[in-house]
Amino acid sequence: MKELKILYLYPDILELYGDYGNIQILRYRLQQRGFKAIIEPYSIGDTPPNFNDYDLVFSGGGADQEQGILAKDLIQYKISIQEAINNGVFFLLICGSYQLFGKYYKDVDSNIIPGLEIFDYYTEAINDRKKRCIGNIVIEAELNDKKVKIIGFENHGGQTYNISTPFGKVLSGNGNQFGASNEGFFQKNVIATYLHGPLLSKNPQLSDYIIKYCLDRKYNEDIVLEPLDDEFENKAREQLS
Ligand code: GLN
């Protein structure tokens, strides 16, 4: 039986607005098609993971305090993470995790939380606790040369700058900064985004893009995924877009 091995980072610390739903959706969409989903959690104090052993790494969102708690732990894995990214392991990073893969996050009190510095972007919060990008958001992304509307919910004070390859174009909502035209960061095997929601339950095409990428890479094929009944997902999308 074909399988995907998923590393789920800091499930006890990074879980905002249903981010865990992304793991549930991956498991569901794999199992429905007869694939096995092996999901291994890692958090502070656990045996250090070898990021290269996985097909997919997922890390959710967290508030400033949580980011501060885990930044040091995460940074010790920088070499293993960089290697995994170079080797094509897929990374899906939401909000607080998105920020931590950049150079740094400067919080509302101007404290600096260091990032992994794997990517060149950086994030700074505005010095006003009340100023946050909050609400539903719709972006247009390109997945395998097809334009796809991606729907989610954002809630972040951080404004992310220096993005050369965004995840998508903002159709409604804020994105990387207040009133930005771009949202998130995208390179073939890394999607980093402010979209909670959970992201994958509202965007089956994105879930299948990630699943296909991981299966193709692992089994060296060009798989055609069996379609699933996405009636409820599509109804939710109609409501939100
Ligand atoms: N602490 C970050 C911010 O407010 C991330 C929040 C989140 O993960 N939703 O910008």
Side-chain angles (χ1 to χ4, degrees):
M1 186 194 260
K2 286 182 184 164
E3 61 181 39
L4 286 186
K5 235 178 124 185
I6 300 171
L7 176 63
Y8 180 15
L9 289 179
Y10 308 108
D12 53 341
I13 307 177
L14 297 178
E15 217 289 273
L16 279 178
Y17 317 117
D19 287 337
Y20 169 60
N22 294 317
I23 291 285
Q24 290 175 299
I25 295 295
L26 288 167
R27 184 195 284 124
Y28 171 80
R29 298 186 80 83
L30 282 164
Q31 287 177 348
Q32 287 294 306
R33 287 149 168 153
F35 304 120
K36 191 168 164 193
I38 301 168
I39 293 152
E40 293 185 356
Y42 165 79
S43 197
I44 298 174
D46 292 344
T47 308
N50 178 351
F51 286 76
N52 261 312
D53 286 348
Y54 294 90
D55 305 302
L56 171 59
V57 177
F58 172 75
S59 194
D64 300 10
Q65 197 191 352
E66 283 89 46
Q67 287 173 289
I69 292 169
L70 64 86
K72 208 171 134 205
D73 189 77
L74 182 68
I75 288 169
Q76 67 180 315
Y77 300 118
K78 179 174 169 155
I79 293 172
S80 177
I81 292 173
Q82 183 73 72
E83 264 173 28
I85 290 176
N86 294 348
N87 287 339
V89 174
F90 200 97
F91 280 68
L92 177 61
L93 311 167
I94 311 291
C95 199
S97 301
Y98 166 23
Q99 296 172 349
L100 287 175
F101 273 62
K103 285 181 181 289
Y104 64 86
Y105 171 60
K106 186 160 117 187
D107 74 13
V108 72
D109 300 314
S110 297
N111 300 310
I112 302 271
I113 298 173
L116 279 163
E117 296 188 55
I118 292 201
F119 302 117
D120 279 344
Y121 58 78
Y122 58 94
T123 306
E124 300 185 346
I126 290 174
N127 286 355
D128 180 346
R129 252 166 240 288
K130 290 190 201 123
K131 288 205 170 143
R132 300 181 63 79
C133 302
I134 304 180
N136 289 327
I137 172 164
V138 184
I139 66 172
E140 183 183 83
E142 223 175 283
L143 304 175
N144 290 331
D145 300 322
K146 255 180 73 188
K147 286 189 172 33
V148 179
K149 260 191 196 175
I150 311 275
I151 287 164
F153 168 79
E154 60 180 333
N155 182 356
H156 54 105
Q159 311 287 294
T160 301
Y161 303 98
N162 203 27
I163 294 283
S164 44
T165 52
F167 178 34
K169 206 165 75 183
V170 178
L171 301 180
S172 117
N174 286 291
N176 283 329
Q177 306 109 28
F178 278 107
S181 55
N182 288 329
E183 200 289 320
F185 171 84
F186 190 16
Q187 87 179 21
K188 200 168 171 251
N189 57 317
V190 180
I191 291 179
T193 176
Y194 277 114
L195 273 59
H196 298 273
L199 173 70
L200 297 184
S201 66
K202 290 176 181 167
N203 300 286
Q205 276 176 287
L206 176 61
S207 314
D208 286 353
Y209 169 83
I210 295 171
I211 289 170
K212 176 177 164 51
Y213 170 93
C214 294
L215 288 169
D216 284 353
R217 172 178 173 268
K218 182 164 196 165
Y219 295 102
N220 197 19
E221 59 188 356
D222 184 7
I223 197 167
V224 178
L225 291 174
E226 214 181 287
L228 298 181
D229 178 1
D230 289 329
E231 187 194 340
F232 290 112
E233 289 83 347
N234 289 332
K235 280 196 169 140
R237 289 173 61 77
E238 277 165 34
Q239 279 294 313
L240 290 162
S241 62

